[in-house]
Amino acid sequence: MRKSGLGSGNYLTLAGLLSPIIRLIGGRFQKIYFQMVESAGRHKRDILVARVDNARGSLEEAKEQFQTALEKFSALTQFDGGALEDVYRQLKIEFDYSMSKALAVRDRIDAVQDVAEALFREWEEELDQYTNRSLRAASRQKLKLTQQHYAQLMSAMRRAEGKIDPVLRVFRDQVLFLKHNLNAQAIASLEGELAGMSHGVAGLIQAMERSIDHAEVFMRTLSGPRALPAGS
C-alpha cells in the first residue's frame, strides 16, 4: 500500500539547488569508487550501461505513475457524494508517489552523467598513450561517436526531467487547495484544471518515451567486446 507523507514546497527545485553541492562532495569519492570497481573487473563502460539501464527503468516507472495519477485525478472530478477527506487522501497519495518517482529519475540521470564524464575523461587521456596512429585515430573516432550519442541521450533525459516539475506544481496546487477547501467548489476546481494537467502529462510522457528510446540506442552503441579495466 502506498504511504502518504504530508509535505509542502517545491521538492524538485530544492533537490536541484542541492544537487551541485552533493555532486561536488560525491565527486571527491568518485575516483576511489571507480578504482575499486575496476579492480574487481568492471570497466566504466559497463557501469555506464548499467546506469543508463537504471535511468531508463526509472523513466518507465515515472511514466506509468504519472499516467495513473492523471487517471485518478480525472476520476475524482466525477465525485458525486461521499467523504471529501477520502478524495483528498487519494490525490495526496498519488502526488507523494509521483514525487518519489520524479526524484528517482533525477538521481539516476545524475548518476549517468557522473560515470559518463569520468569515462570520457579517461578515454581522452589514454589516446596519447597510443604509438600506432591508425589505432589512435580509430579510438578517437569511436570516442566522438559515443559522445554524440551520449549528448543526444542526455539532452532527451534532461528535457523529460524538465517537464516533470511543471506537472507536479499543478498537481500540488490542487492537492493543497483541496486540503483546505473540502467542498464541492474544490472538486469543481479539479475539473477546471484537468485539461491543462492532461496536456502537461501528455507532453511529459512523450518526452519520457523519447528519452527511453535514446537510452536503448545508446546502450546498443556500447555493446560489443568488453573493455579491459584501466591498468590492465
Side-chain angles (χ1 to χ4, degrees):
M1 180 177 179
R2 299 177 185 176
K3 297 182 179 179
S4 172
L6 184 60
S8 61
N10 193 325
Y11 295 98
L12 279 184
T13 299
L14 177 60
L17 292 173
L18 293 177
S19 182
I21 299 174
I22 295 172
R23 286 168 62 82
L24 178 62
I25 296 173
R28 298 179 180 179
F29 300 97
Q30 284 284 354
K31 186 174 182 180
I32 297 174
Y33 167 75
F34 289 132
Q35 287 175 341
M36 290 176 60
V37 295
E38 288 184 334
S39 67
R42 290 193 72 196
H43 188 264
K44 291 184 183 70
R45 187 185 70 172
D46 302 320
I47 301 170
L48 178 56
V49 170
R51 290 190 180 182
V52 170
D53 195 30
N54 287 338
R56 179 184 61 175
S58 285
L59 285 161
E60 287 277 13
E61 291 177 4
K63 183 185 75 170
E64 292 174 2
Q65 170 54 29
F66 278 95
Q67 286 175 319
T68 299
L70 181 61
E71 290 168 3
K72 293 287 184 68
F73 190 95
S74 178
L76 292 173
T77 63
Q78 307 301 317
F79 178 79
D80 59 357
L84 283 170
E85 290 84 356
D86 291 341
V87 175
Y88 164 72
R89 280 195 292 269
Q90 289 181 55
L91 275 185
K92 185 62 175 66
I93 289 171
E94 292 303 327
F95 171 73
D96 288 343
Y97 206 58
S98 297
M99 179 65 70
S100 70
K101 294 298 183 183
L103 291 173
V105 166
R106 171 165 287 174
D107 288 344
R108 291 186 174 178
I109 293 175
D110 286 346
V112 169
Q113 184 174 339
D114 286 339
V115 69
E117 290 175 351
L119 171 62
F120 295 144
R121 186 164 52 247
E122 176 186 88
W123 200 336
E124 286 277 7
E125 292 170 354
E126 292 181 345
L127 287 174
D128 292 334
Q129 298 178 22
Y130 282 95
T131 56
N132 185 302
R133 293 183 179 180
S134 296
L135 292 178
R136 183 193 299 120
S139 184
R140 189 186 302 278
Q141 182 63 29
K142 180 64 183 294
L143 169 59
K144 289 181 178 179
L145 180 62
T146 305
Q147 287 174 320
Q148 288 172 2
H149 283 295
Y150 168 74
Q152 294 169 356
L153 168 66
M154 191 55 56
S155 176
M157 283 188 166
R158 291 302 186 190
R159 191 177 302 115
E161 178 192 347
K163 289 182 177 292
I164 292 176
D165 205 30
V167 172
L168 285 175
R169 282 199 295 268
V170 173
F171 202 173
R172 180 189 297 113
D173 285 349
Q174 296 308 309
V175 171
L176 288 174
F177 186 74
L178 186 60
K179 175 185 176 184
H180 298 291
N181 300 272
L182 293 175
N183 51 44
Q185 181 183 0
I187 297 297
S189 77
L190 298 181
E191 187 173 0
E193 291 291 338
L194 181 59
M197 187 172 180
S198 298
H199 179 75
V201 172
L204 171 60
I205 289 173
Q206 187 178 47
M208 285 181 167
E209 289 176 343
R210 281 197 296 265
S211 65
I212 290 167
D213 290 342
H214 278 290
E216 292 172 351
V217 170
F218 183 74
M219 286 189 292
R220 285 199 297 269
T221 67
L222 292 183
S223 65
R226 290 171 55 87
L228 293 173
S232 297

